[in-house]
Amino acid sequence: MCSSTVNKTTWDKLSPKQRAAIESAMAETTAWIRQYAKKMNDRALAEMKAKNLIHIHMQTNKEKEAWKKRLAPVYYQFKDTIGTQVLEEWKKLGADERALQKRSGGYE
């Protein structure tokens, strides 16, 4: 995950074209970082498995859904602390992850 911060005053001084360029660059960079991180994580996991250094239990989709269901109330318990925007982003990330898993065949 990556982030970038721009002072609101500075952001407001940028032209729509400049803002669009920054937003586009951030989207492109974020996509690249996620792909690179996944590649590196997959490589590290394969190496650990090949060397029998660690046993990793990969949850089935059923197990993952059970965990998500069980832990979901925790997020909503703190909605006033973390804000509804964060919760909405969390939901979106979860939906994106589920869509990715469906396309890639999941962990099973």
Side-chain angles (χ1 to χ4, degrees):
M1 187 134 213
C2 66
S3 67
S4 180
T5 305
V6 177
N7 177 291
K8 182 171 176 14
T9 304
T10 301
W11 184 257
D12 290 344
K13 290 178 183 177
L14 298 175
S15 71
K17 186 176 180 180
Q18 289 170 317
R19 291 180 193 177
I22 292 169
E23 289 170 344
S24 176
M26 288 302 298
E28 183 180 337
T29 302
T30 298
W32 182 86
I33 287 171
R34 287 180 179 162
Q35 287 177 332
Y36 181 76
K38 177 155 181 22
K39 186 188 310 181
M40 298 309 297
N41 289 340
D42 289 347
R43 183 180 298 158
L45 178 59
E47 287 177 17
M48 287 187 283
K49 284 181 176 181
K51 294 177 181 179
N52 292 319
L53 296 176
I54 191 168
H55 173 75
I56 300 173
H57 171 74
M58 299 303 286
Q59 290 183 319
T60 64
N61 289 334
K62 185 177 180 181
E63 290 170 328
K64 283 177 64 175
E65 291 306 315
W67 272 95
K68 288 177 187 177
K69 184 177 180 182
R70 181 78 171 144
L71 293 173
V74 174
Y75 290 94
Y76 293 100
Q77 177 183 350
F78 293 99
K79 74 177 180 182
D80 292 336
T81 303
I82 62 176
T84 55
Q85 183 178 358
V86 172
L87 289 174
E88 291 305 314
E89 285 294 318
W90 170 71
K91 283 185 199 175
K92 183 181 179 306
L93 288 172
D96 291 349
E97 174 68 16
R98 286 188 295 278
L100 178 63
Q101 290 305 318
K102 284 182 182 178
R103 286 195 302 272
S104 67
Y107 292 117
E108 297 181 310

